[in-house]
Amino acid sequence: MKQLRASGGVWIASQGIALHLDPGPGALVRALSSRPPLDPATLSGVILSHRHLDHANDVNVILEAMTQGATRVRGHLFLPSDALGEEPVVFRYLKEQLEGIHVLQEGGEYVIDSLRFATPLRHIHGVETYGFKFFFPQGIVSFITDTQFTEKLFAAYEGSDVLVVHTLRLERTDHPDLLHLSVPEVELLLLHIRPRLAILTHFGMTILRARPWEVADRLAEKCGLPVIAAYDGLVLDLATFSIQKRESPR
């Protein structure tokens, strides 16, 4: 809520397909102010890991942009069942403009054009939540989204070439009532899964105060693999597994 880090989510592009994962507060503004701009009208779909505001607040504005002001029927929406339930996060008129609405479930696999992804495990969180494994020609990129630690995560995300981990807490004892991963728990995940690259994101204040890049460096040394602390505008190029910077206007 302090917007010390952007909360607009993740833009995924592969083989002419573009998806927006977890369009939280500022998603549209961040996309259009990026250099070069990311145009929501080119999206093939939107994915929500769960209904919390920091992940879903801007879903309606992104859907409206994807459907060009709700004037065209196009695009797909993937989301948990409780995001459509008694207190839905998506407006009814926008649902009518979508080519398809797909309810996520544990062990599910989904295809949109040439892109395939899976939801291997329902996470332990305050609402229905899923992580993702995206199967690209260059390798598997997984997102371990908000969750309490469980050893089931090891098997669910094995085989990941890139692991993007939501890391909210510095220590296990920091706000143990929050169902989010801590740095020691991420260390266990990296030691078991052994990705080619790990990216930490979704930082709480304890990690921001500890300097995320230093936290990542310590994890890299302990686990013996590359670990990067995400920053606004980070771009992962799967052709080379290199990290680049997307510029914003000054």
Side-chain angles (χ1 to χ4, degrees):
M1 295 302 173
K2 297 179 184 296
Q3 285 292 296
L4 298 176
R5 292 295 181 97
S7 53
V10 178
W11 190 280
I12 298 169
S14 176
Q15 303 179 90
I17 306 301
L19 302 173
H20 201 139
L21 173 62
D22 284 350
L28 181 64
V29 172
R30 292 283 179 173
L32 295 177
S33 63
S34 179
R35 291 292 180 267
L38 298 168
D39 183 2
T42 66
L43 287 169
S44 298
V46 176
I47 306 174
L48 298 184
S49 65
H50 63 294
R51 57 174 291 119
H52 282 161
L53 284 179
D54 55 335
H55 295 257
N57 186 77
D58 278 13
V59 63
N60 288 294
V61 71
I62 291 296
L63 290 176
E64 177 135 351
M66 182 175 71
T67 58
Q68 297 184 23
T71 62
R72 293 184 57 195
V73 175
R74 64 179 307 274
H76 294 260
L77 174 63
F78 302 83
L79 74 177
S81 60
D82 71 347
L84 291 171
E86 183 178 344
E87 193 177 51
V89 301
V90 179
F91 295 147
R92 182 183 304 164
Y93 81 94
L94 289 170
K95 295 178 189 177
E96 297 170 355
Q97 299 303 120
L98 298 172
E99 294 177 80
I101 298 176
H102 311 271
V103 176
L104 302 175
Q105 58 183 350
E106 183 174 273
E109 291 203 13
Y110 311 89
V111 177
I112 180 165
D113 296 326
S114 59
L115 180 57
R116 180 169 64 96
F117 68 94
T119 48
L121 183 69
R122 177 168 174 168
H123 289 186
I124 303 171
H125 200 48
V127 295
E128 186 177 356
T129 305
Y130 297 96
F132 303 94
K133 295 178 83 169
F134 289 89
F135 301 92
F136 299 107
Q138 301 90 345
I140 299 173
V141 178
S142 295
F143 290 81
I144 299 184
T145 58
D146 297 6
T147 186
Q148 184 181 54
F149 178 75
T150 168
E151 291 186 356
K152 292 182 179 180
L153 294 166
F154 298 155
Y157 296 99
E158 67 179 354
S160 300
D161 294 289
V162 178
L163 197 62
V164 183
V165 190
H166 288 196
T167 313
L168 187 83
R169 300 182 293 135
L170 186 63
E171 302 292 344
R172 288 189 179 97
T173 53
D174 295 333
H175 302 287
D177 54 317
L178 295 178
L179 302 179
H180 284 271
L181 293 172
S182 65
V183 171
E185 292 160 343
V186 173
E187 180 180 339
L188 292 175
L189 288 170
L190 299 186
L191 289 171
H192 279 80
I193 298 171
R194 305 296 304 176
R196 291 169 58 184
L197 171 67
I199 301 174
L200 311 182
T201 190
H202 201 292
F203 305 132
M205 289 302 300
T206 55
I207 293 182
L208 289 175
R209 294 188 187 105
R211 300 183 177 182
W213 57 94
E214 294 183 3
V215 172
D217 287 346
R218 289 195 293 270
L219 276 175
E221 185 175 353
K222 288 182 178 180
C223 299
L225 55 87
V227 182
I228 293 171
Y231 50 81
D232 296 351
L234 180 149
V235 177
L236 170 64
D237 183 350
L238 285 180
T240 58
F241 278 79
S242 62
I243 298 297
Q244 304 170 12
K245 172 72 174 178
R246 234 185 142 82
E247 295 298 331
S248 296
R250 297 187 183 276

